[in-house]
Amino acid sequence: MELTGPIESAEKQFIQILERYFVSIYDEKKLPSHGLNHHRRVWANAKKLLLNLPPGSIISDRLPYTLILASYMHDLGMATDHGPKHGRQSMELCRTFVRNNELDEDDFPGLMHAIREHDNKDYTSSAGTGALDILSMADDLDAFGFTGIYRYTEIYLLRGIDPASLGYRIRTNARQRFEHFSKIFSNSGTFFEQQKQKYLILDGFFKEYDKEISLKKPDSNVLYYTGVVRMLSDIIRNQQDIFEFAVPAHYDNPVAKVFFEGLAKELASGL
């Protein structure tokens, strides 16, 4: 099925009103990692997933329309709920959007279910190509790379997770996400390899973080990865703008330099 036309049509119809609705509700200062730019990237990822589906995949011709709404709405509930059940609040906010714009919910099959359940990452069912499957994977892809390091760190610390278990928790969660994505897209060539490299950036970072955490008598001169997490913790606590944060010229942590440069490149490119 040719999807370029429906994707462009969905964007023309919805992007402007979705973004206006989003900014009317969400305070970027409170949780910037899940703000409008995250939702833009999730929609970009959803488009890539749609265009890289295996040959013969059977999908609804309404799927692009469902996915653009789901992509822009799935984390909107985090405006008031930072917990793992925020999808329920996001769903209600989406219902308000649908009602206010005189849309018919039946025209977007699976929309509310996808938004409500998108953060269920136990992956007990096989990977599919429905609205929930694609939304969940599009969201997952934004959890990899340097962007993922920042996003995971922010939300896990805000949820009160002990920094000592941060690396293990993140690596376990990210591995489940990548393996789920791989079930459908492992044969998609360049697209799969790009996502794999981003996953390895995140996994490698927190593997080294765990090594530093395990040191019984840590030497402050070698706490490079934990140093980055502490910097991120300070940025989060002080509600600094991560997109404008620069590593001071005198700072001697080479991992921080690589991280912030890599993050800036990803954010600038929208990858």
Side-chain angles (χ1 to χ4, degrees), residues 175-227:
R175 182 171 62 252
Q176 292 173 330
R177 295 181 185 226
F178 182 72
E179 289 175 351
H180 187 71
F181 162 72
S182 300
K183 290 177 182 178
I184 291 182
F185 292 95
S186 60
N187 293 321
S188 60
T190 301
F191 174 63
F192 176 77
E193 289 302 319
Q194 288 173 340
Q195 309 313 314
K196 180 180 179 180
Q197 290 306 310
K198 290 178 66 179
Y199 164 70
L200 292 175
I201 287 171
L202 176 118
D203 186 70
F205 179 95
F206 284 106
K207 182 178 181 180
E208 295 302 318
Y209 174 88
D210 278 344
K211 289 180 181 179
E212 291 185 0
I213 286 289
S214 68
L215 295 175
K216 294 182 179 179
K217 293 183 179 181
D219 180 348
S220 62
N221 292 326
V222 297
L223 294 184
Y224 297 138
Y225 296 85
T226 50

Side-chain angles (χ1 to χ4, degrees), residues 43-58:
W43 170 235
N45 289 337
K47 289 190 290 183
K48 294 174 186 175
L49 291 165
L50 288 173
L51 295 173
N52 282 278
L53 284 169
S57 297
I58 300 175

Side-chain angles (χ1 to χ4, degrees), residues 17-25 73 76 93-94 96-97:
I17 58 175
L18 281 168
E19 295 202 354
R20 282 200 300 267
Y21 183 66
F22 189 96
V23 300
S24 73
I25 293 171
M73 295 284 181
L76 189 52
L93 289 168
C94 184
T96 299
F97 173 86

Side-chain angles (χ1 to χ4, degrees), residues 16-48:
Q16 288 188 349
I17 58 175
L18 281 168
E19 295 202 354
R20 282 200 300 267
Y21 183 66
F22 189 96
V23 300
S24 73
I25 293 171
Y26 196 93
D27 183 351
E28 295 277 349
K29 291 182 179 180
K30 291 183 178 179
L31 196 68
S33 70
H34 288 70
L36 182 58
N37 284 323
H38 163 62
H39 291 75
R40 287 169 172 164
R41 293 193 301 269
V42 170
W43 170 235
N45 289 337
K47 289 190 290 183
K48 294 174 186 175

